[in-house]
Amino acid sequence: MPRAYHHGNLRRTLLDAAVALFAERGAFDFTLRELARAAGVTHNAPYRHFAGKAELLEALRSEGFVALAAAAQASLSAAGDDPRKRVRALGDAYLRFAIDEPHRFRLMLHNPLGNADDPVVGQGNALSILKDTLEEARRAGVVRQDLSARELALAAWALVHGLSSLMVAGQIPADDARVRRYGKLLETTFFEGIARR
Amino acid sequence: MPRAYHHGNLRRTLLDAAVALFAERGAFDFTLRELARAAGVTHNAPYRHFAGKAELLEALRSEGFVALAAAAQASLSAAGDDPRKRVRALGDAYLRFAIDEPHRFRLMLHNPLGNADDPVVGQGNALSILKDTLEEARRAGVVRQDLSARELALAAWALVHGLSSLMVAGQIPADDARVRRYGKLLETTFFEGIARR
DNA sequence: CAAGCGATGTGGACAGTGTCAACATGGGTC
DNA sequence: GACCCATGTTGACACTGTCCACATCGCTTG
């Protein structure tokens, strides 16, 4: 049946079409008009919902951060009580997210608006979950006390984000075996360090 | 004076114009025709040197990896003999490279060709320099022996690459003070680990 | 319950893009 | 000194993002 003149929920449809196109080909190179076509709508309809292509991308990016935080929270909830396992669970969630949805992950990382403070990153996000978890670990006395939770979180973030990025960028193969092996390697590095005892 | 019909060294000029445009604005969004204009040449001349835009980008990317390896080598040469200082020097070089030339760094990381093995990354590059340096440290007995030099290198790479990426993406501010502070933080994390002793 | 207004979608236009094909030019090679 | 091939030019095409004026509808208000 023919679509009504008013689509009903075009905004959502466009965003979904965008992720679908992301997944189909391998990059951000989709086009606004393609999206419109996929949604069965003229090339100009998207402009009623987004000021331009950049704003649409920003919306996708923002949704990505929310999804990441949700994944982190879920993984954490299933991780039990051991502080170290909880930290590990967060790292795994991050890495899994990146590998499962490389296009979205790449988009999220690609902040075209320079480095102005980004409210998406600032609050209620995966980073603050990580910080809280490390604060727990710190209070539980299993990690060193001379670094703040914020510093610990930053180091952990850098570590797991680095591996994720390198894998997503294809610099390191991302097969299952390697993901498991390197995950463990990072855990060891992070907690024990590499210096000889 | 008017350029001769044959430019002489258009390929080089185009690549230079590309980095210049990279630096000027903040992104990869330059256009082939712009490059041609900047080089004082018609919009189709670039096609005599590159099959298309993708190939030009690939050339830039490749040059970036060479420059990075050179920077790493230089930093290493000035680092003295202490194995730990040498590792740290490599990390600093990487981070500095990323922050000084964020556009190039971003481009290098953005591998649009999926994850096929990339000869640029495979040999004579910064990664193998890092591996060699960690192998030295391992032989010198200052780092743990139960991990291979390759594993150690991978962990170090992930750590410093993570911080670099996050800073370049604007997720973490990249002022001088922070760069120094976080560099030290990563060094501590990497060598000592965060677990309580 | 009708009128009308604002939100949503349409159609056309414009400058600019990447790329292709045919043609022009001239420097290095026999 | 003539020729050939690499290099640069001109013209064209389909396509893009975005602007504008217009069409259509559903919700609100009287």
Side-chain angles (χ1 to χ4, degrees):
Chain A
M1 60 189 157
R3 273 269 158 264
Y5 192 94
H6 283 74
H7 182 286
N9 199 351
L10 185 55
R11 186 187 162 93
R12 190 61 277 145
T13 306
L14 286 172
L15 291 174
D16 290 347
V19 276
L21 277 182
F22 262 7
E24 197 176 314
R25 49 192 78 176
F28 319 40
D29 64 352
F30 74 93
T31 157
L32 256 197
R33 289 166 110 108
E34 249 175 334
L35 251 50
R37 253 171 270 144
V41 114
T42 22
H43 68 270
N44 249 320
Y47 282 82
R48 299 299 142 187
H49 298 273
F50 304 95
K53 192 179 182 179
E55 198 173 296
L56 191 149
L57 283 174
E58 196 55 32
L60 280 174
R61 217 168 85 84
S62 162
E63 289 194 346
F65 281 109
V66 173
L68 174 59
Q73 191 61 63
S75 178
L76 194 59
S77 300
D81 288 335
D82 179 46
R84 182 157 167 167
K85 284 203 177 105
R86 288 171 73 79
V87 174
R88 172 69 195 265
L90 285 180
D92 284 341
Y94 197 94
L95 186 54
R96 213 178 316 122
F97 181 88
I99 290 174
D100 286 350
E101 305 202 60
H103 324 95
R104 194 144 57 140
F105 185 72
R106 226 133 103 164
L107 175 64
M108 288 161 62
L109 265 300
H110 179 78
N111 179 359
L113 304 170
N115 40 19
D117 43 5
D118 188 331
V120 173
V121 181
Q123 56 184 359
N125 61 350
L127 178 56
S128 67
I129 295 175
L130 175 61
K131 205 178 73 184
D132 293 347
T133 304
L134 279 166
E135 181 60 46
E136 288 172 18
R138 203 159 166 275
R139 265 199 274 268
V142 303
V143 306
R144 51 199 297 171
Q145 311 284 311
D146 61 330
L147 295 176
S148 70
R150 165 148 187 79
E151 288 173 310
L152 294 172
L154 205 136
W157 191 19
L159 199 54
V160 71
H161 176 77
L163 182 61
S164 302
S165 300
L166 291 171
M167 283 186 160
V168 165
Q171 310 263 14
I172 296 178
D175 52 286
D176 274 8
R178 252 178 274 243
V179 168
R180 257 194 309 278
R181 187 142 50 88
Y182 294 158
K184 185 154 198 63
L185 170 62
L186 293 201
E187 181 188 349
T188 302
T189 303
F190 184 59
F191 283 101
E192 264 75 55
I194 68 149
R196 184 176 197 175
R197 295 290 132 79
Chain B
M1 63 191 153
R3 274 267 158 263
Y5 193 94
H6 283 71
H7 181 285
N9 200 350
L10 186 54
R11 184 186 163 95
R12 189 65 272 155
T13 305
L14 286 172
L15 291 174
D16 291 347
V19 277
L21 277 182
F22 263 6
E24 198 175 313
R25 49 191 81 174
F28 318 40
D29 65 351
F30 73 95
T31 158
L32 257 194
R33 289 165 110 109
E34 249 174 333
L35 251 51
R37 252 172 271 143
V41 114
T42 22
H43 68 268
N44 248 319
Y47 283 82
R48 299 299 142 187
H49 298 274
F50 304 96
K53 193 178 182 179
E55 197 173 297
L56 191 149
L57 284 174
E58 196 55 32
L60 280 175
R61 216 168 86 84
S62 161
E63 288 194 347
F65 281 109
V66 172
L68 175 59
Q73 191 62 62
S75 178
L76 194 59
S77 301
D81 287 335
D82 179 46
R84 182 157 166 168
K85 284 204 177 105
R86 289 171 73 79
V87 173
R88 172 69 195 267
L90 285 180
D92 284 342
Y94 198 94
L95 186 54
R96 211 177 319 121
F97 181 88
I99 290 175
D100 285 351
E101 305 202 61
H103 324 95
R104 194 146 55 144
F105 185 72
R106 223 132 108 165
L107 175 64
M108 287 161 62
L109 266 299
H110 179 78
N111 178 0
L113 304 169
N115 41 18
D117 43 5
D118 188 331
V120 173
V121 181
Q123 56 184 359
N125 61 350
L127 179 57
S128 66
I129 295 175
L130 175 61
K131 204 178 74 184
D132 293 347
T133 304
L134 279 165
E135 181 61 45
E136 287 172 19
R138 201 159 167 277
R139 265 200 274 269
V142 302
V143 306
R144 52 198 299 170
Q145 310 284 309
D146 60 330
L147 294 176
S148 69
R150 169 153 182 74
E151 288 174 310
L152 294 173
L154 204 134
W157 191 19
L159 198 55
V160 70
H161 177 76
L163 182 62
S164 303
S165 300
L166 290 171
M167 283 186 159
V168 165
Q171 309 264 13
I172 297 177
D175 51 287
D176 275 8
R178 253 178 273 244
V179 168
R180 257 193 309 277
R181 189 143 48 89
Y182 294 157
K184 185 152 197 71
L185 171 63
L186 294 200
E187 182 188 349
T188 303
T189 303
F190 185 58
F191 284 102
E192 263 76 55
I194 69 150
R196 182 175 199 175
R197 291 292 132 78

